[in-house]
């Protein structure tokens, strides 16, 4: 059975600095029409920076949509959407947020945060061979760099202390990949 839905019409209802929202009419597999609200996002990157002592570098920042401080991996949107090289985006975000640079980069794949309404793909990286440079945050970015042993990060992911999706996904991929 063909389960695909075909766009019949699309209307942009919002276009901001980061996202675009459309209201689409889609033809369903049974031939009827349904409204689909779609959020288009340029995509992003997340970096698990792991030093030789298995210490991980995280950022603590306030997340306005949920009105909470979160502990997360360094991450950010791709500034030029799909046209931006994902690795360059990951290197930029790690440097900006933590002041770290890495000699070794491993691509871990990507995850889709909420494909029921949003097309955002989040590309995950493991960064090793770290050297400290200078942190250079965006003008509207306020965060603290936090370090912890990788095992503690895994514990906090598993007990629900850390709930950020990109941090959970990337941490568990690294745990399986490295067998730590």
């Amino acid at each position: 059975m063909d389960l695909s839905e075909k766009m019949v019409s699309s209307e942009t209802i919002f276009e901001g600095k980061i996202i675009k929202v459309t209201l689409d009419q889609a033809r369903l597999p049974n031939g009827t029409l349904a409204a689909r609200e779609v959020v288009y996002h340029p995509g992003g990157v997340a970096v698990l920076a792991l030093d030789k002592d298995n210490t991980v570098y995280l950022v603590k920042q306030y997340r306005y949509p949920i009105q909470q401080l979160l502990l997360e991996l360094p991450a950010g949107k791709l500034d030029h959407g799909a046209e931006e090289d994902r690795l360059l985006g990951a290197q930029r975000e790690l440097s900006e947020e933590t002041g770290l640079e890495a000699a070794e980069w491993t691509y871990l794949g990507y995850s889709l945060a909420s494909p029921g309404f949003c097309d955002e793909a989040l590309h995950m990286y493991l960064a090793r061979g770290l050297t400290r440079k200078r942190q250079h945050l965006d003008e509207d970015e306020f965060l603290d760099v936090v370090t912890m042993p990788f095992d503690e990060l895994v514990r906090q992911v598993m007990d629900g202390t850390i709930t950020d999706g990109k941090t959970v996904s990337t941490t568990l991929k690294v745990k399986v990949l490295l067998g730590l």
Side-chain angles (χ1 to χ4, degrees), residues 135-150:
Q135 182 186 46
H136 45 103
L137 300 172
D138 293 336
E139 66 181 33
D140 64 346
E141 197 169 34
F142 299 89
L143 55 83
D144 290 328
V145 176
V146 175
T147 61
M148 70 174 62
F150 181 75

Side-chain angles (χ1 to χ4, degrees), residues 120-133:
E120 179 185 12
L122 199 292
H123 300 274
M124 299 169 282
Y125 286 89
L126 169 63
R128 300 187 93 171
L130 306 176
T131 56
R132 180 161 303 283
K133 301 290 183 178

Side-chain angles (χ1 to χ4, degrees), residues 35-63:
R36 298 289 188 243
E37 296 173 353
V38 182
V39 176
Y40 293 93
H41 185 282
V45 292
V47 181
L48 193 148
L50 188 66
D51 73 12
K52 63 184 179 331
D53 299 320
N54 286 339
T55 297
V56 179
Y57 294 78
L58 301 133
V59 295
K60 183 188 292 187
Q61 59 186 324
Y62 188 78
R63 291 304 196 176

Side-chain angles (χ1 to χ4, degrees), residues 2-4 6 12 49 52 54 73 76 94 108 133-134 137 153 161 169 178:
D2 180 9
L3 299 175
S4 61
K6 309 287 189 249
T12 298
K52 63 184 179 331
N54 286 339
L73 294 177
L94 181 63
L108 302 171
K133 301 290 183 178
R134 187 182 63 81
L137 300 172
L153 174 61
T161 301
S169 298
L178 299 181

Side-chain angles (χ1 to χ4, degrees), residues 5 9-11 13 21-29 33-40 116-117:
E5 299 179 6
S9 65
S10 182
E11 174 190 359
I13 56 177
V21 181
T22 64
L23 177 58
D24 297 355
Q25 290 297 312
R27 185 157 322 278
L28 303 179
L33 292 178
R36 298 289 188 243
E37 296 173 353
V38 182
V39 176
Y40 293 93
F117 73 92

